[in-house]
Amino acid sequence: MDFSLKERIDLLHDTNQISDEIYDRLPAILETVENFLEVKLSEENAGSFASHISIALQRISDKNPLTDISGELQTVIEENPNFYLFAKELLSANNQKGADIDAEAAFLTLYFGVLTREENA
């Protein structure tokens, strides 16, 4: 994992925004994302994504995930079904409490699109 991206995750953990459990799982989760998207994640291209997925996982763990999917997000899902399916699989594997992850997956889908567009720009 990129050093500056790790610093961001360390800060989220050190300020008690994410639990030890989520902190320990994040490197493998981010590596899975890198492999799926074929993009090297760094602070520059994925800083906000790393923060978002960290906090999203904490919300899911707390059974308090985002629940609203706007019309714009619905369009992103429809235009990127493979990203949405991957996001749901990724979050499902980290959803021991059975929270509703649809909206959280929608936001990750948006990030995946941004990350791959930046890589191909």
Side-chain angles (χ1 to χ4, degrees), residues 36-106:
F36 178 80
L37 297 179
E38 297 179 347
V39 171
K40 178 70 176 150
L41 301 180
S42 67
E43 176 64 27
E44 184 178 315
N45 72 346
S48 61
F49 165 72
S51 291
H52 184 91
I53 194 168
S54 300
I55 301 300
L57 289 166
Q58 188 62 56
R59 284 191 298 261
I60 290 167
S61 177
D62 294 341
K63 283 200 86 171
N64 191 27
L66 298 177
T67 56
D68 293 332
I69 299 177
S70 67
E72 292 86 2
L73 272 180
Q74 189 60 44
T75 300
V76 169
I77 292 168
E78 291 166 5
E79 292 175 352
N80 300 281
N82 291 339
F83 287 169
Y84 184 65
L85 180 61
F86 173 67
K88 285 192 74 162
E89 290 172 357
L90 188 67
L91 294 176
S92 291
N94 292 282
N95 184 14
Q96 291 80 17
K97 297 182 181 177
D100 178 358
I101 59 168
D102 292 346
E104 296 287 5

XYZ file of all heavy atoms in Angstrom, residues 36-106:
545
model
N -8.739 -5.676 -9.024
C -9.942 -5.674 -9.847
C -9.908 -4.533 -10.871
O -10.213 -4.740 -12.050
C -11.197 -5.556 -8.979
C -12.470 -5.512 -9.781
C -13.027 -6.682 -10.276
C -13.102 -4.306 -10.052
C -14.188 -6.645 -11.032
C -14.262 -4.257 -10.796
C -14.810 -5.437 -11.290
N -9.551 -3.344 -10.424
C -9.560 -2.174 -11.308
C -8.302 -2.064 -12.159
O -8.265 -1.272 -13.105
C -9.714 -0.889 -10.487
C -10.987 -0.716 -9.687
C -10.946 0.596 -8.912
C -12.221 -0.781 -10.576
N -7.270 -2.818 -11.792
C -5.964 -2.728 -12.440
C -5.436 -1.294 -12.356
O -4.993 -0.706 -13.336
C -6.025 -3.230 -13.881
C -6.407 -4.695 -13.971
C -6.499 -5.211 -15.387
O -6.513 -4.403 -16.349
O -6.558 -6.451 -15.544
N -5.524 -0.742 -11.144
C -5.091 0.620 -10.851
C -4.283 0.584 -9.562
O -4.683 -0.052 -8.597
C -6.316 1.541 -10.666
C -5.908 2.910 -10.146
C -7.113 1.672 -11.948
N -3.155 1.261 -9.553
C -2.366 1.397 -8.334
C -2.944 2.547 -7.527
O -3.012 3.690 -7.994
C -0.896 1.668 -8.683
C -0.020 1.858 -7.484
C 0.178 0.571 -6.727
C 1.156 0.794 -5.582
N 0.898 -0.065 -4.461
N -3.431 2.241 -6.330
C -4.027 3.260 -5.473
C -2.933 4.023 -4.732
O -2.008 3.428 -4.185
C -4.972 2.614 -4.461
C -6.134 1.803 -5.039
C -6.987 1.229 -3.918
C -6.976 2.646 -5.986
N -3.076 5.332 -4.737
C -2.139 6.197 -4.028
C -2.937 7.315 -3.372
O -4.130 7.485 -3.633
C -1.116 6.789 -4.996
O -1.758 7.685 -5.896
N -2.275 8.080 -2.543
C -2.938 9.232 -1.921
C -3.464 10.175 -3.002
O -4.565 10.710 -2.891
C -1.969 9.959 -0.985
C -2.525 11.208 -0.363
C -3.697 10.979 0.567
O -3.814 9.883 1.161
O -4.521 11.909 0.703
N -2.689 10.348 -4.037
C -3.055 11.297 -5.093
C -4.350 10.905 -5.811
O -5.230 11.729 -6.016
C -1.918 11.406 -6.105
C -2.184 12.435 -7.187
C -1.022 12.561 -8.137
O 0.133 12.617 -7.675
O -1.277 12.591 -9.349
N -4.481 9.645 -6.188
C -5.664 9.255 -6.970
C -6.770 8.645 -6.118
O -7.916 8.576 -6.567
C -5.289 8.297 -8.105
C -4.920 6.899 -7.629
O -4.681 6.665 -6.449
N -4.849 5.970 -8.563
N -6.448 8.198 -4.907
C -7.437 7.432 -4.146
C -7.567 7.858 -2.689
O -8.158 7.126 -1.896
C -7.088 5.948 -4.227
N -7.065 9.017 -2.333
C -7.161 9.452 -0.946
C -8.596 9.533 -0.457
O -8.949 8.975 0.591
N -9.446 10.210 -1.215
C -10.843 10.334 -0.782
C -11.553 8.982 -0.844
O -12.394 8.682 0.009
C -11.586 11.386 -1.606
O -11.596 11.041 -2.965
N -11.207 8.153 -1.809
C -11.781 6.812 -1.878
C -11.418 6.004 -0.635
O -12.270 5.344 -0.037
C -11.322 6.078 -3.133
C -11.594 4.596 -3.084
C -12.893 4.115 -3.197
C -10.570 3.691 -2.889
C -13.158 2.753 -3.121
C -10.818 2.336 -2.818
C -12.116 1.863 -2.933
N -10.152 6.047 -0.237
C -9.704 5.294 0.941
C -10.451 5.746 2.190
O -10.872 4.915 3.009
C -8.197 5.433 1.128
N -10.627 7.053 2.327
C -11.402 7.555 3.468
C -12.842 7.070 3.391
O -13.410 6.613 4.385
C -11.390 9.087 3.504
O -10.114 9.562 3.823
N -13.426 7.175 2.210
C -14.828 6.790 2.066
C -15.039 5.311 2.376
O -15.942 4.956 3.140
C -15.367 7.102 0.675
C -16.823 6.794 0.573
N -17.792 7.724 0.843
C -17.474 5.639 0.303
C -18.979 7.152 0.731
N -18.810 5.885 0.399
N -14.244 4.435 1.802
C -14.462 3.003 2.032
C -14.200 2.660 3.497
O -14.906 1.824 4.073
C -13.648 2.120 1.065
C -14.177 0.673 1.122
C -12.163 2.183 1.340
C -13.672 -0.233 0.033
N -13.232 3.319 4.121
C -12.956 3.066 5.537
C -14.171 3.406 6.396
O -14.625 2.597 7.215
C -11.764 3.904 6.001
O -10.604 3.594 5.274
N -14.702 4.600 6.185
C -15.855 5.046 6.965
C -17.102 4.247 6.589
O -17.932 3.922 7.458
C -16.074 6.563 6.777
C -14.838 7.353 7.226
C -17.328 7.036 7.496
C -14.438 7.165 8.681
N -17.243 3.894 5.316
C -18.385 3.074 4.890
C -18.366 1.722 5.599
O -19.410 1.250 6.074
C -18.367 2.888 3.377
N -17.202 1.107 5.682
C -17.096 -0.170 6.376
C -17.449 -0.021 7.853
O -18.081 -0.905 8.438
C -15.697 -0.763 6.206
C -15.383 -1.268 4.805
C -13.887 -1.524 4.650
C -16.182 -2.515 4.480
N -17.057 1.109 8.443
C -17.415 1.344 9.846
C -18.926 1.521 9.991
O -19.537 0.978 10.905
C -16.680 2.567 10.400
C -16.859 2.739 11.890
C -16.300 1.564 12.675
O -15.133 1.228 12.542
N -17.137 0.916 13.476
N -19.535 2.281 9.077
C -20.998 2.444 9.129
C -21.699 1.098 8.987
O -22.669 0.819 9.691
C -21.476 3.390 8.019
C -21.219 4.839 8.281
C -21.958 5.723 7.283
N -21.545 5.518 5.913
C -20.689 6.291 5.257
N -20.150 7.341 5.839
N -20.386 6.037 4.000
N -21.211 0.281 8.080
C -21.807 -1.048 7.877
C -21.647 -1.883 9.143
O -22.589 -2.538 9.590
C -21.179 -1.740 6.651
C -21.634 -1.027 5.371
C -21.534 -3.221 6.612
C -20.844 -1.406 4.140
N -20.466 -1.843 9.734
C -20.221 -2.581 10.969
C -21.142 -2.114 12.091
O -21.598 -2.916 12.906
C -18.755 -2.414 11.385
O -18.503 -3.060 12.602
N -21.435 -0.812 12.096
C -22.312 -0.236 13.117
C -23.792 -0.395 12.763
O -24.656 0.088 13.507
C -22.003 1.254 13.298
C -20.625 1.512 13.867
O -20.024 0.587 14.452
O -20.134 2.658 13.713
N -24.069 -1.056 11.639
C -25.437 -1.226 11.110
C -26.122 0.124 10.912
O -27.309 0.291 11.184
C -26.277 -2.141 11.991
C -25.922 -3.620 11.797
C -27.011 -4.521 12.260
C -27.970 -4.687 11.107
N -28.985 -5.666 11.282
N -25.354 1.074 10.406
C -25.869 2.405 10.129
C -25.360 2.895 8.760
O -24.829 4.003 8.648
C -25.446 3.371 11.240
C -26.156 4.681 11.153
O -27.259 4.775 10.652
N -25.489 5.725 11.618
N -25.527 2.064 7.709
C -25.000 2.452 6.395
C -25.847 3.546 5.753
O -26.997 3.771 6.145
C -25.096 1.161 5.591
C -26.285 0.470 6.175
C -26.211 0.780 7.665
N -25.265 4.190 4.758
C -26.043 5.105 3.932
C -27.155 4.300 3.278
O -26.963 3.123 2.938
C -25.164 5.740 2.858
C -24.006 6.605 3.342
C -23.183 7.094 2.153
C -24.498 7.766 4.174
N -28.308 4.920 3.069
C -29.430 4.165 2.503
C -30.044 4.806 1.265
O -30.794 4.145 0.556
C -30.552 3.973 3.550
O -30.947 5.254 4.043
C -30.064 3.103 4.706
N -29.744 6.071 1.002
C -30.369 6.749 -0.129
C -29.526 6.624 -1.389
O -28.319 6.889 -1.366
C -30.575 8.229 0.184
C -31.603 8.455 1.280
O -32.509 7.599 1.421
O -31.494 9.463 1.994
N -30.192 6.236 -2.475
C -29.552 6.188 -3.788
C -30.259 7.226 -4.658
O -31.428 7.051 -5.006
C -29.644 4.785 -4.419
C -28.931 3.750 -3.534
C -29.047 4.788 -5.823
C -29.037 2.320 -4.031
N -29.543 8.278 -4.971
C -30.125 9.351 -5.785
C -30.310 8.875 -7.221
O -29.771 7.834 -7.629
C -29.200 10.573 -5.769
O -27.994 10.268 -6.451
N -31.027 9.654 -7.984
C -31.193 9.349 -9.399
C -29.861 9.319 -10.124
O -29.644 8.470 -11.002
N -28.962 10.222 -9.750
C -27.631 10.255 -10.373
C -26.853 8.981 -10.058
O -26.205 8.409 -10.930
C -26.840 11.481 -9.901
C -27.390 12.799 -10.385
C -28.499 13.357 -9.486
O -28.839 12.740 -8.449
O -29.037 14.418 -9.830
N -26.928 8.539 -8.806
C -26.234 7.299 -8.448
C -26.866 6.097 -9.145
O -26.160 5.184 -9.550
C -26.255 7.082 -6.929
C -25.132 7.707 -6.139
C -25.294 7.409 -4.651
C -23.778 7.247 -6.621
N -28.174 6.099 -9.282
C -28.846 5.004 -9.986
C -28.343 4.927 -11.427
O -28.107 3.839 -11.955
C -30.371 5.192 -9.955
C -31.134 4.000 -10.481
C -30.878 2.718 -9.694
O -30.862 2.714 -8.471
N -30.658 1.629 -10.402
N -28.138 6.069 -12.050
C -27.601 6.101 -13.409
C -26.186 5.532 -13.443
O -25.843 4.759 -14.347
C -27.614 7.552 -13.950
O -28.964 8.015 -13.965
C -27.033 7.631 -15.345
N -25.374 5.895 -12.454
C -24.000 5.364 -12.377
C -24.038 3.846 -12.266
O -23.262 3.145 -12.930
C -23.242 5.999 -11.187
C -21.931 5.271 -10.915
C -22.995 7.474 -11.434
N -24.942 3.315 -11.453
C -25.082 1.861 -11.293
C -25.450 1.218 -12.633
O -24.856 0.215 -13.042
C -26.152 1.527 -10.231
C -25.679 1.939 -8.845
C -26.505 0.043 -10.258
C -26.774 1.914 -7.791
N -26.426 1.798 -13.303
C -26.892 1.238 -14.578
C -25.807 1.274 -15.643
O -25.728 0.371 -16.483
C -28.139 1.990 -15.051
C -29.344 1.719 -14.166
C -30.501 2.685 -14.379
O -30.428 3.543 -15.296
O -31.479 2.588 -13.610
N -24.962 2.298 -15.608
C -23.887 2.427 -16.593
C -22.659 1.592 -16.249
O -21.800 1.379 -17.108
C -23.487 3.896 -16.731
C -24.574 4.752 -17.361
C -24.232 6.232 -17.384
O -23.208 6.644 -16.766
O -24.994 6.984 -18.008
N -22.567 1.128 -15.011
C -21.385 0.384 -14.544
C -21.784 -0.845 -13.734
O -21.385 -0.985 -12.572
C -20.511 1.303 -13.689
C -20.030 2.517 -14.430
O -19.090 2.443 -15.214
N -20.686 3.649 -14.210
N -22.558 -1.754 -14.320
C -23.048 -2.895 -13.535
C -21.938 -3.780 -12.977
O -22.085 -4.323 -11.876
C -23.935 -3.651 -14.518
C -23.472 -3.225 -15.878
C -22.986 -1.815 -15.715
N -20.823 -3.902 -13.682
C -19.728 -4.735 -13.170
C -19.088 -4.111 -11.938
O -18.731 -4.812 -10.987
C -18.670 -4.978 -14.251
C -19.175 -5.861 -15.361
O -20.140 -6.614 -15.200
N -18.546 -5.763 -16.510
N -18.938 -2.793 -11.940
C -18.397 -2.106 -10.766
C -19.342 -2.252 -9.581
O -18.907 -2.460 -8.449
C -18.163 -0.621 -11.050
C -16.987 -0.313 -11.932
C -16.829 0.968 -12.439
C -16.030 -1.259 -12.261
C -15.750 1.300 -13.239
C -14.943 -0.951 -13.069
C -14.811 0.340 -13.556
N -20.648 -2.125 -9.844
C -21.633 -2.224 -8.756
C -21.635 -3.632 -8.169
O -21.631 -3.797 -6.947
C -23.017 -1.831 -9.267
C -24.074 -1.821 -8.184
C -23.997 -0.920 -7.128
C -25.142 -2.702 -8.218
C -24.969 -0.896 -6.130
C -26.114 -2.685 -7.228
C -26.021 -1.782 -6.191
O -26.975 -1.766 -5.206
N -21.595 -4.636 -9.019
C -21.556 -6.017 -8.537
C -20.304 -6.257 -7.702
O -20.364 -6.856 -6.622
C -21.618 -6.991 -9.712
C -21.586 -8.468 -9.370
C -22.778 -8.863 -8.509
C -21.563 -9.303 -10.636
N -19.167 -5.768 -8.174
C -17.924 -5.913 -7.425
C -18.023 -5.209 -6.073
O -17.618 -5.744 -5.042
C -16.739 -5.374 -8.228
C -15.454 -5.329 -7.456
C -14.817 -6.493 -7.049
C -14.881 -4.110 -7.111
C -13.627 -6.451 -6.320
C -13.701 -4.049 -6.390
C -13.079 -5.223 -5.997
N -18.569 -3.987 -6.068
C -18.716 -3.232 -4.817
C -19.592 -3.997 -3.834
O -19.271 -4.085 -2.641
C -19.300 -1.846 -5.103
N -20.693 -4.561 -4.323
C -21.574 -5.317 -3.433
C -20.868 -6.556 -2.890
O -20.999 -6.882 -1.704
C -22.864 -5.706 -4.163
C -23.804 -4.510 -4.314
C -25.167 -4.908 -4.751
C -25.874 -5.546 -3.594
N -27.322 -5.605 -3.742
N -20.113 -7.253 -3.739
C -19.368 -8.432 -3.281
C -18.327 -8.039 -2.237
O -18.175 -8.709 -1.217
C -18.702 -9.128 -4.461
C -19.673 -9.824 -5.391
C -19.018 -10.341 -6.659
O -17.803 -10.125 -6.870
O -19.744 -10.956 -7.466
N -17.622 -6.954 -2.489
C -16.591 -6.482 -1.574
C -17.195 -6.129 -0.214
O -16.678 -6.529 0.833
C -15.897 -5.258 -2.184
C -14.672 -4.716 -1.482
C -13.519 -5.705 -1.566
C -14.276 -3.393 -2.123
N -18.294 -5.408 -0.233
C -18.930 -5.009 1.020
C -19.616 -6.190 1.701
O -19.596 -6.290 2.930
C -19.929 -3.878 0.774
C -19.309 -2.554 0.319
C -20.397 -1.540 0.013
C -18.322 -2.013 1.338
N -20.202 -7.088 0.937
C -20.859 -8.267 1.522
C -19.871 -9.120 2.304
O -20.197 -9.641 3.366
C -21.512 -9.115 0.439
O -22.613 -8.462 -0.119
N -18.666 -9.245 1.764
C -17.638 -10.037 2.433
C -17.215 -9.399 3.756
O -16.606 -10.059 4.588
C -16.430 -10.197 1.520
N -17.554 -8.138 3.937
C -17.180 -7.402 5.150
C -18.410 -6.901 5.889
O -18.387 -5.854 6.526
C -16.267 -6.238 4.763
C -14.928 -6.714 4.266
O -14.078 -7.080 5.048
N -14.770 -6.775 2.952
N -19.498 -7.667 5.798
C -20.779 -7.262 6.378
C -21.312 -8.377 7.267
O -22.324 -9.002 6.968
C -21.769 -6.931 5.244
C -23.095 -6.415 5.744
O -23.246 -6.045 6.899
N -24.073 -6.410 4.858
N -20.631 -8.617 8.369
C -21.014 -9.702 9.258
C -22.367 -9.471 9.932
O -22.995 -10.413 10.385
C -19.936 -9.920 10.340
C -18.634 -10.478 9.825
C -17.745 -9.425 9.178
O -17.915 -8.235 9.352
N -16.789 -9.894 8.391
N -22.818 -8.236 9.998
C -24.051 -7.939 10.730
C -25.275 -7.822 9.830
O -26.357 -7.499 10.300
C -23.866 -6.677 11.561
C -22.788 -6.862 12.625
C -22.624 -5.644 13.479
C -21.521 -5.896 14.513
N -21.275 -4.706 15.311
N -25.114 -8.043 8.537
C -26.249 -8.053 7.630
C -26.882 -6.703 7.350
O -28.084 -6.621 7.105
N -26.094 -5.652 7.337
C -26.624 -4.316 7.041
C -26.979 -4.201 5.557
O -26.439 -4.925 4.718
C -25.585 -3.257 7.410
N -27.861 -3.280 5.236
C -28.215 -2.979 3.849
C -27.045 -2.224 3.229
O -26.694 -1.127 3.685
C -29.485 -2.134 3.812
C -29.898 -1.721 2.409
O -29.187 -2.054 1.433
O -30.938 -1.052 2.280
N -26.438 -2.787 2.200
C -25.228 -2.192 1.630
C -25.439 -1.579 0.249
O -24.488 -1.118 -0.369
C -24.096 -3.236 1.558
C -24.518 -4.421 0.698
C -23.654 -3.659 2.946
C -23.394 -5.360 0.332
N -26.664 -1.544 -0.243
C -26.907 -1.091 -1.612
C -26.403 0.327 -1.870
O -25.727 0.581 -2.872
C -28.388 -1.190 -1.955
C -28.868 -2.633 -2.049
O -28.016 -3.548 -2.103
O -30.090 -2.844 -2.065
N -26.732 1.272 -1.004
C -26.308 2.655 -1.223
C -24.801 2.801 -1.066
O -24.154 3.532 -1.830
C -27.037 3.601 -0.270
N -24.229 2.101 -0.087
C -22.768 2.157 0.071
C -22.082 1.609 -1.184
O -21.097 2.171 -1.661
C -22.324 1.364 1.306
C -22.832 1.921 2.626
C -22.166 3.204 3.087
O -21.332 3.792 2.357
O -22.491 3.644 4.215
N -22.616 0.542 -1.743
C -22.057 -0.024 -2.974
C -22.206 0.953 -4.133
O -21.324 1.042 -4.997
C -22.722 -1.358 -3.297
N -23.290 1.700 -4.160
C -23.498 2.689 -5.223
C -22.412 3.766 -5.179
O -21.864 4.155 -6.223
C -24.882 3.315 -5.091
